[in-house]
Amino acid sequence: MIRKIIKIDESKCNGCGACAAACHEGAIGMVNGKARLMREDYCDGLGDCLPACPTGAITFEEREAPAYDHGAVLANKAKRQQETEKSVPLGCPGSASRLIKRQAEKTESQEDGKTESMLSQWPVQIKLVPVRAPYFDGANLLIAADCTAYAYGDFHRSFIKNRVTVIGCPKLDEGDYSEKLTAIIAENDIKSVTIVRMEVPCCGGIEAAAKKAIQNSGKFIPWQVITISTDGKISD
């Protein structure tokens, strides 16, 4: 059949992965650092991926293509969810959810000059955190790209302090964060969202997923995006 479907110009693709994160149907994948339409029958032709692309590498075209298969998309989502659950052993101590209590009124630096951790909960990886947890209620949520804590020296005191932290890397992690983040925001009393990303294009995926999650949650929540440069400064 002739229908509208996306077209990806790989010469313009910078490998950021934002389009793959924005595609709920899983039609787009990353191959050798470039976005590629993996399954034509997974593409619904609505173009959620277009505004996510920072380089204009994605456009629409009308051509011969198989019909959009909603049933196959749902089956693939269920399969990926099962694979994700199997990859994290149940009862693994490393993925057990817990609150980390800090000593009240303790100074931010130890006497020996070492900065104290401000992390208030575990786990922190987006794929491992539970959708519902007591520490999410009334929380100021920090959604951060993995590299930001390494690039910005005062990350704990500037961003983690007084926030619940979740982290991820849209370029290296498989799948779309937006569904998990939507559930966290929708099912908990989140007070605010702070998104911290690197200036590199591949970090656009975590920003796009977080913004989409806020929108899809149906809630009006204050949010902000802070960008860290590769030399460890906050970009204007």
Side-chain angles (χ1 to χ4, degrees):
M1 63 180 295
I2 303 295
R3 71 178 184 96
K4 186 166 68 172
I5 195 168
I6 65 162
K7 178 181 179 181
I8 301 174
D9 185 345
E10 291 191 9
S11 67
K12 293 182 179 179
C13 176
N14 64 8
C16 71
C19 58
C23 180
H24 276 182
E25 290 71 29
I28 301 174
M30 303 302 296
V31 179
N32 296 326
K34 296 288 186 178
R36 183 175 297 176
L37 180 59
M38 307 298 290
R39 288 283 299 260
E40 293 183 347
D41 57 336
Y42 285 7
C43 178
D44 58 10
L46 297 179
D48 285 346
C49 53
L50 266 71
C53 180
T55 63
I58 304 176
T59 56
F60 278 126
E61 65 176 347
E62 288 201 9
R63 61 173 175 81
E64 183 73 30
Y68 170 62
D69 190 338
H70 185 59
V73 169
L74 292 179
N76 183 55
K77 284 184 178 181
K79 180 182 178 182
R80 285 189 299 171
Q81 181 62 34
Q82 290 177 354
E83 290 174 349
T84 299
E85 292 172 353
K86 289 179 180 178
S87 67
V88 181
L90 295 177
C92 172
S95 61
S97 177
R98 66 187 181 95
L99 182 67
I100 302 173
K101 293 184 178 181
R102 302 291 173 188
Q103 294 183 23
E105 304 300 326
K106 190 168 184 179
T107 57
E108 293 180 0
S109 296
Q110 303 280 12
E111 293 180 359
D112 60 5
K114 293 181 180 179
T115 301
E116 177 159 0
S117 173
M118 300 292 172
L119 191 66
S120 63
Q121 101 289 339
W122 186 265
V124 294
Q125 286 285 346
I126 294 173
K127 290 194 172 185
L128 296 181
V129 294
V131 169
R132 287 283 301 160
Y135 49 72
F136 280 132
D137 288 327
N140 295 302
L141 182 64
L142 171 65
I143 302 172
D146 289 354
C147 296
T148 54
Y150 293 94
Y152 192 73
D154 202 36
F155 194 83
H156 274 252
R157 286 186 293 183
S158 296
F159 300 116
I160 294 181
K161 183 180 179 182
N162 298 325
R163 293 186 175 99
V164 169
T165 304
V166 296
I167 65 171
C169 177
K171 186 166 186 177
L172 299 180
D173 289 345
E174 185 177 344
D176 179 15
Y177 293 142
S178 62
E179 291 185 11
K180 180 74 171 283
L181 293 174
T182 297
I184 290 172
I185 295 171
E187 297 183 28
N188 297 280
D189 181 24
I190 302 295
K191 297 299 185 184
S192 69
V193 176
T194 298
I195 305 158
V196 183
R197 55 163 291 182
M198 296 297 297
E199 64 179 348
V200 295
C202 56
C203 258
I206 200 163
E207 179 180 344
K211 288 180 178 179
K212 190 168 189 177
I214 295 169
Q215 181 180 15
N216 290 347
S217 73
K219 294 183 176 181
F220 181 77
I221 300 174
W223 60 273
Q224 62 176 327
V225 178
I226 297 170
T227 303
I228 308 296
S229 65
T230 52
D231 60 354
K233 296 180 176 63
I234 296 178
S235 302
D236 295 330

